Amino acid sequence: MNNRRRTAASGLLIAGFVLYFLLNEPETGHAMHIMEGYLPVGWSLFWWAVFLPFFFLGLRSINRIVKDHPEFKLLLGVAGAFAFVLSALKIPSVTGSSSHPTGTGLGAILFGPLVMAVLGSLVLLFQALLLAHGGLTTLGANAFSMAVVGPVVAYAVYRLVAGRRGNQKIGIFLAASLADLSTYLVTSVQLALAFPAESGGILASLAKFAGIFGLTQVPLAISEGLLTVLVWNWLQTYNGQELSQLRLLKKEG
């Protein structure tokens, strides 16, 4: 398939994502998985400090990729758009939180976890500013769980399961699903640290938050894993050359 057809197909996918948001008018809400102003100031600043080094390392990684392989720009856009669409599909959860797919596993498999530290945090920033999802003061905490921990888990799981002779589709499914679940496990830890239970302290609070998140997040994670495999099939069809350059195109064993 020539470059023109691949570019046209990728452009249609991005155009579809844009059209989705044009037809779905945003409403004001507190939809971020830790909403605006919910964390105490000290914890908000702490998570910003933990997150920012990964963000700057991610910027350096993206600059290197774009400089060495400008043909990957479109694939970077697809990874960001995929995370944007999936993470915008929020449903209510415990007070001060929401449940949603994360969409960070795909980009982590393609380009590594540091790239998603930038793309994932920009996704959350755009949702806070453009979709009225809130969460600017808690952006550091949300970005650390979704754009740092989730992609690291996805990348490690994919490398472990897929390997040289492993099953790639199973690796992709598990990577995307566990990236989703690990994001919400970290969110539960963040909330438990900020709001320990009067009886049982942090561990009791963690069990409460993780248990409630689990009701909605487990089926969402399974759905995200299956959807990511479908998108991967699409990429194999229309972006096989780029996947080969990334050494990610392989036959199932």
Side-chain angles (χ1 to χ4, degrees):
M1 182 166 293
N2 58 43
N3 290 331
R4 181 175 296 179
R5 292 185 63 182
R6 286 198 301 272
T7 301
S10 299
L12 285 174
L13 180 63
I14 295 175
F17 290 150
V18 173
L19 182 62
Y20 170 84
F21 286 105
L22 288 176
L23 297 177
N24 290 274
E25 184 178 355
E27 297 179 355
T28 301
H30 301 291
M32 202 60 67
H33 53 269
I34 300 179
M35 72 177 187
E36 180 66 48
Y38 192 68
L39 288 179
V41 174
W43 281 112
S44 294
L45 294 175
F46 172 79
W47 291 114
W48 268 106
V50 173
F51 158 69
L52 283 176
F54 294 97
F55 180 81
F56 290 118
L57 288 173
L59 284 178
R60 190 173 65 174
S61 179
I62 289 178
N63 286 335
R64 186 170 58 248
I65 290 172
V66 171
K67 179 180 178 182
D68 295 341
H69 301 282
E71 68 273 20
F72 288 164
K73 288 181 181 177
L74 199 56
L75 206 54
L76 281 167
V78 170
F82 185 68
F84 188 89
V85 171
L86 262 66
S87 60
L89 303 176
K90 295 177 169 64
I91 61 176
S93 188
V94 292
T95 301
S97 302
S98 67
S99 281
H100 58 81
T102 63
T104 57
L106 178 66
I109 294 170
L110 289 170
F111 298 107
L114 287 177
V115 168
M116 291 312 296
V118 177
L119 296 183
S121 59
L122 291 179
V123 161
L124 293 174
L125 178 62
F126 288 160
Q127 290 173 358
L129 296 176
L130 303 180
L131 302 184
H133 283 183
L136 289 176
T137 61
T138 56
L139 184 60
N142 289 330
F144 180 75
S145 61
M146 191 182 106
V148 175
V149 175
V152 168
V153 170
Y155 184 79
V157 169
Y158 176 77
R159 292 295 176 184
L160 180 65
V161 176
R164 287 190 174 182
R165 296 185 179 182
N167 189 306
Q168 190 174 36
K169 299 296 172 54
I170 292 178
I172 292 168
F173 170 78
L174 291 176
S177 299
L178 293 177
D180 182 309
L181 290 176
S182 62
T183 294
Y184 274 85
L185 179 59
V186 172
T187 300
S188 300
V189 172
Q190 291 170 327
L191 291 172
L193 289 172
F195 305 103
E198 292 184 3
S199 176
I202 293 174
L203 289 179
S205 182
L206 173 61
K208 181 189 69 175
F209 284 119
I212 296 175
F213 275 136
L215 294 176
T216 51
Q217 210 59 36
V218 170
L220 284 176
I222 295 173
S223 301
E224 179 173 346
L226 295 173
L227 180 61
T228 305
V229 173
L230 292 177
V231 173
W232 187 269
N233 291 337
W234 184 88
L235 290 175
Q236 282 189 317
T237 301
Y238 295 103
N239 294 85
Q241 182 177 337
E242 287 82 357
L243 294 184
S244 295
Q245 289 180 267
L246 291 167
R247 300 180 179 179
L248 290 169
L249 193 63
K250 59 188 289 188
K251 295 180 179 179
E252 295 295 338

